[in-house]
Amino acid sequence: MATPALYRRFRTLLIANRGEIACRVIRTARAMGLRTVAVYSEADRDALHVAEADEAVLIGAPPARDSYLNIERVIAAARQSGAEAIHPGYGFLSESAEFAQACADAGLVFVGPTAAMITAMGSKSGSKELMEKAGVPLVPGFHGEAQDEATLAQAADKIGFPVLVKASAGGGGRGMRVVHTANELSAAIVSAKREAKAAFGDDRMLIEKFVTNPRHIEVQIVGDSHGNLVSLFERECTLQRRHQKVIEEAPSPTLNPAQRETVCAAARKAAGAVNYVGAGTIEFVSDGHDVFFIEMNTRLQVEHPVTELITGIDLVEWQLRVAFGEQLPRTQDQIKLNGHAIEARVYAENPQQNFMPSVGTIRTWRTPPESNGLRIDAGYRQGDQVSPYYDAMLAKVIAWAPSRDAAIDRLTRGLDDTDIRGIVTNTQFLSALLTHPDVRANAIDTGFIGRELARLTPPATEPGDLELCAAVAAILVEEAKVAQHEAPSPWRTAGWMPVGLRARTFAFRHGAAEHRVTLRYGSGPAQLDIDGRTFAFSTATRDDGGIDLTLDGARSAVVAVIVGHELYLRSRSGRFDLHWIDPFGGDDDEHVGEDRIVAPLPGTVVALLAEEGATLEKGAAILTLEVMKMEQTLRAPFAGVLTHLKCKVGDIVQEGVELAEIEPTPI
Ligand code: ADP
Ligand code: ADP
Ligand code: MG
């Protein structure tokens, strides 16, 4: 039997990924008339990518190694669903030569390069050797086989400090250490090796000159199986945190047209050296004058949309056409650069707590409409769970405009209108970055975020009078709505203004602080009292779902969403999550299960801060958990007695495991 061609026409595509990239691939595949098959883990039964595909196959338990990284299960899912091809997305199996080979062996088209090309470019050392031969400029460094300490130390001395110690198999910025002096070297190598071994099962290191004031510049390339290869301009991803990209743009605001042509030509040369097929990215680091090759990613990248917006090319469509065995749809001189695009990665993480991932239920999901140069690539929607098992990226907000300044303005506005609650996100951090004058002026390097962190992550502000009054207004609006649709309940209709009672007090919790607002209602206009300050108050609902609040004659627009007893407010001062302590509503629905203190993420108990039987104030510390190398203190959600402590120092606990029980003090 003849082996089927590696690249050939197919009708059913399996997407071996999750989140936004799975949704992104499905969108184009469907537009091209393909039938789409999703795969999912037990944690993702209700995930968006499963809902969007024509079919979906369960492939295993939540940990990625049991599902999204399990080659046999993914291939079996393709067989079971009749898929003829697999798109790997990014991350997971996308750069696994073993997986590309397994697809070929199973007679499936792998939407990407061949296993041999992935092997050639997958290791940073191997690819640097290839590039050296092809005459592509490299960062000065050592990428030889020898790994003994003496050889590495000698190499570092020869290169000259500062140097970067880097895992050859690395990715996502892991296994990398900047070393400033010779006596720091050996410790850095030991710790980088440990990290690389754990993350990639391979601890080989290379050493590079640490380029000063580094900027990250990369070139998108696509090749077909007929020997055509084009570059689609460059992206700049200099805004990074711990060597991971945060904001990306195209074209680079740093390069002039001559430099642009030089770097794109170098990228074509690099990819041409392996007769590359598929979409790929050649990454360079620049000192502001010259660019040096650092690595190639043999897959679609997270930030590919900025290239799509400046070229008008759908990169997933091109990937699929190449996988069909077609020629590239355009030649190099038919690819034109138009305008400027910039992307921000929206993560479920808490910038105030060292970017600790945030897990839980997405209570509200609001993103601006995709028009006027805005594009939203999302992997989640309202009601979805963000689990601790996978990367915490929720969505990408991408803006296009004729100029860089206008694109930044649009993205800033787009982020302001992106409001995702129930979990903590980095949207305000992203806005702070985009509005920083040095970002505007492109006066940045890859260390910028690290240096400016304090300014970019100001402490959360307490809600002011405007927000507290808005919270009351939102509750009144909500109650009026309920009253319209419900048979009159004695509390709803008379509850806030029974005969003779002209005051009603609202209590809100914001973090550990409590705030009270009293509504007074008499013959004249309504009034609100906060700590002895009195405001005349009126409210009107807006068409866009917001509230117009007039306090002492000054009107402001506030957006408020109520979910159970949680109030998600957005005002000119920012975003505020308030918990309404509702004496009449029993304040119970959000409290179900809340007398249990559970581990929010898998971690290790590192300290017990209260004793069994202790009477705790609301917000009192109970224990500290170390989660992903960061400490998180769990606190009493309300006043009560600590009836049980169910863990001890040193315990390794899974997500959702009960650690303590509290019996609330009766109100
Ligand atoms: P890129 O190189 O495409 O810009 P990064 O360098 O930020 O992406 O990410 C590096 C790796 O992190 C990706 O190759 C992937 O392994 C992982 N990753 C990032 N985001 C996600 C995600 N949403 N889902 C799965 N993996 C992800
Ligand atoms: P990864 O596989 O983790 O993406 P890279 O080699 O692409 O690893 O490096 C990640 C980031 O680290 C780059 O985007 C760049 O900002 C920075 N970096 C890499 N090599 C150097 C270098 N030699 N000098 C300065 N910065 C570097
Ligand atoms: Mg990289």
Side-chain angles (χ1 to χ4, degrees):
M1 195 182 79
T3 26
L6 276 178
Y7 300 110
R8 61 176 192 281
R9 182 87 208 178
F10 50 83
R11 301 199 45 212
T12 301
L13 176 70
L14 181 142
I15 298 95
N17 216 300
R18 64 181 305 285
E20 69 85 18
I21 193 60
C23 300
R24 159 77 191 88
V25 173
I26 290 169
R27 196 192 318 152
T28 289
R30 165 153 316 139
M32 292 172 73
L34 298 177
R35 190 168 69 98
T36 55
V37 181
V39 291
Y40 63 98
S41 74
E42 281 157 15
D44 277 343
R45 283 178 192 282
D46 301 317
L48 184 59
H49 75 283
V50 175
E52 290 195 342
D54 296 312
E55 285 171 40
V57 183
L58 175 66
I59 51 169
R65 64 175 178 280
D66 299 327
S67 47
Y68 299 104
L69 283 173
N70 187 314
I71 294 179
E72 272 170 40
R73 300 262 173 88
V74 173
I75 302 268
R79 288 231 170 81
Q80 183 190 330
S81 59
E84 301 148 273
I86 299 187
H87 193 303
Y90 54 70
F92 295 132
L93 294 169
S94 62
E95 292 188 272
S96 161
E98 188 190 347
F99 181 58
Q101 191 57 49
C103 289
D105 293 345
L108 299 163
V109 177
F110 177 74
V111 181
T114 63
M117 292 171 200
I118 299 178
T119 306
M121 301 306 285
S123 106
K124 295 193 208 297
S125 319
S127 64
K128 284 182 79 174
E129 212 164 289
L130 260 170
M131 291 308 113
E132 203 165 24
K133 286 200 190 114
V136 176
L138 301 184
V139 194
F142 169 81
H143 48 268
E145 281 294 315
Q147 288 289 312
D148 59 285
E149 213 180 305
T151 309
L152 294 178
Q154 220 174 14
D157 268 334
K158 196 166 150 222
I159 295 162
F161 290 92
V163 299
L164 189 63
V165 174
K166 212 191 249 192
S168 184
R174 279 177 301 174
M176 217 183 298
R177 301 282 184 279
V178 182
V179 183
H180 295 278
T181 59
N183 55 19
E184 295 168 6
L185 183 69
S186 120
I189 291 175
V190 169
S191 85
K193 276 185 182 275
R194 191 170 49 227
E195 192 172 295
K197 187 85 191 167
F200 317 109
D202 179 344
D203 66 358
R204 277 172 302 167
M205 291 289 141
L206 52 97
I207 298 186
E208 283 175 1
K209 176 85 196 159
F210 183 70
V211 173
T212 45
N213 300 323
R215 289 175 167 272
H216 176 108
I217 292 176
E218 59 184 34
V219 177
Q220 176 73 56
I221 55 101
V222 189
D224 67 22
S225 57
H226 304 273
N228 303 304
L229 188 116
V230 298
S231 57
L232 283 76
F233 304 106
E234 80 290 355
R235 300 182 280 258
E236 179 157 347
C237 320
T238 295
L239 287 170
Q240 303 189 348
R241 199 181 72 84
R242 297 189 172 170
H243 307 295
Q244 286 185 60
K245 299 156 189 165
V246 177
I247 288 184
E248 306 102 342
E249 59 190 308
S252 160
T254 310
L255 301 184
N256 63 36
Q259 291 169 316
R260 169 163 307 123
E261 185 37 44
T262 305
V263 68
C264 289
R268 290 194 296 268
K269 201 169 184 182
V274 286
N275 299 315
Y276 192 75
V277 178
T281 297
I282 317 288
E283 295 194 331
F284 299 88
V285 63
S286 160
D287 59 9
H289 304 286
D290 299 309
V291 293
F292 307 100
F293 171 86
I294 50 172
E295 67 157 346
M296 174 168 190
N297 289 146
T298 54
R299 54 174 166 88
L300 194 66
Q301 260 174 306
V302 176
E303 59 274 22
H304 73 278
V306 292
T307 298
E308 297 187 317
L309 292 181
I310 59 157
T311 57
I313 290 169
D314 180 332
L315 280 165
V316 174
E317 180 191 338
W318 278 37
Q319 284 189 299
L320 293 171
R321 294 204 180 283
V322 168
F324 288 163
E326 293 179 15
Q327 305 244 8
L328 292 181
R330 292 191 210 173
T331 58
Q332 189 67 58
D333 56 7
Q334 290 171 331
I335 298 166
K336 301 276 188 256
L337 194 168
N338 176 28
H340 196 95
I342 180 163
E343 170 183 284
R345 301 185 184 193
V346 178
Y347 277 87
E349 65 184 14
N350 189 344
Q352 256 94 30
Q353 279 180 32
N354 201 13
F355 297 85
M356 161 111 61
S358 172
V359 300
T361 306
I362 297 173
R363 301 284 182 192
T364 75
W365 177 281
R366 213 180 126 124
T367 50
E370 289 193 292
S371 59
N372 298 323
L374 263 193
R375 164 172 164 181
I376 316 286
D377 282 15
Y380 291 79
R381 70 206 137 154
Q382 192 152 310
D384 283 350
Q385 290 292 320
V386 180
S387 78
Y389 298 105
Y390 316 111
D391 189 274
M393 194 172 77
L394 300 175
K396 300 177 304 205
V397 181
I398 313 125
W400 178 92
S403 69
R404 181 174 190 262
D405 271 337
I408 292 178
D409 287 341
R410 278 186 181 165
L411 183 58
T412 308
R413 185 66 200 253
L415 286 168
D416 284 346
D417 291 342
T418 298
D419 200 359
I420 301 167
R421 302 291 184 95
I423 43 162
V424 186
T425 74
N426 66 340
T427 42
Q428 283 178 290
F429 165 72
L430 294 171
S431 300
L433 249 183
L434 283 172
T435 48
H436 194 297
D438 291 353
V439 171
R440 249 319 148 161
N442 191 30
I444 53 171
D445 61 78
T446 56
F448 175 79
I449 290 180
R451 289 193 303 271
E452 290 290 301
L453 205 55
R455 174 165 175 185
L456 296 169
T457 54
T461 40
E462 282 300 315
D465 293 338
L466 173 68
E467 289 77 27
L468 293 171
C469 292
V472 170
I475 292 170
L476 298 180
V477 167
E478 190 70 15
E479 287 182 349
K481 264 194 255 167
V482 172
Q484 264 179 10
H485 293 104
E486 254 182 15
S489 108
W491 273 124
R492 289 300 172 204
T493 49
W496 62 277
M497 214 188 59
V499 183
L501 181 70
R502 302 217 180 267
R504 177 183 176 192
T505 295
F506 297 82
F508 301 102
R509 204 155 55 222
H510 181 257
E514 215 171 285
H515 300 270
R516 285 175 181 276
V517 185
T518 302
L519 170 71
R520 294 188 196 285
Y521 213 91
S523 44
Q527 281 187 353
L528 289 171
D529 284 3
I530 302 174
D531 293 338
R533 297 183 296 281
T534 299
F535 305 93
F537 147 83
S538 72
T539 169
T541 51
R542 292 159 58 97
D543 290 346
D544 63 3
I547 297 172
D548 270 332
L549 190 68
T550 308
L551 287 186
D552 285 346
R555 200 187 71 205
S556 298
V558 179
V559 176
V561 178
I562 302 187
V563 180
H565 287 108
E566 307 310 315
L567 281 129
Y568 303 124
L569 299 181
R570 195 145 54 91
S571 71
R572 59 168 187 250
S573 313
R575 289 154 200 222
F576 302 86
D577 292 4
L578 295 179
H579 176 82
W580 178 31
I581 308 165
D582 175 7
F584 304 128
D587 200 15
D588 49 17
D589 49 24
E590 292 296 321
H591 261 207
V592 173
E594 254 195 40
D595 50 340
R596 299 162 65 244
I597 305 297
V598 299
L601 291 167
T604 309
V605 178
V606 292
L608 297 179
L609 306 169
E611 285 178 5
E612 236 171 53
T615 302
L616 302 177
E617 296 283 304
K618 180 170 54 64
I622 300 173
L623 56 92
T624 303
L625 206 59
E626 190 191 274
V627 178
M628 306 172 96
K629 303 263 172 288
M630 283 169 279
E631 295 201 343
Q632 196 183 31
T633 296
L634 303 188
R635 297 174 180 281
F638 44 81
V641 174
L642 183 60
T643 49
H644 291 288
L645 260 179
K646 301 189 160 182
C647 57
K648 54 184 192 310
V649 170
D651 281 358
I652 295 171
V653 295
Q654 288 306 310
E655 180 223 357
V657 166
E658 180 168 23
L659 302 176
E661 251 177 64
I662 302 188
E663 203 162 274
T665 311
I667 302 171

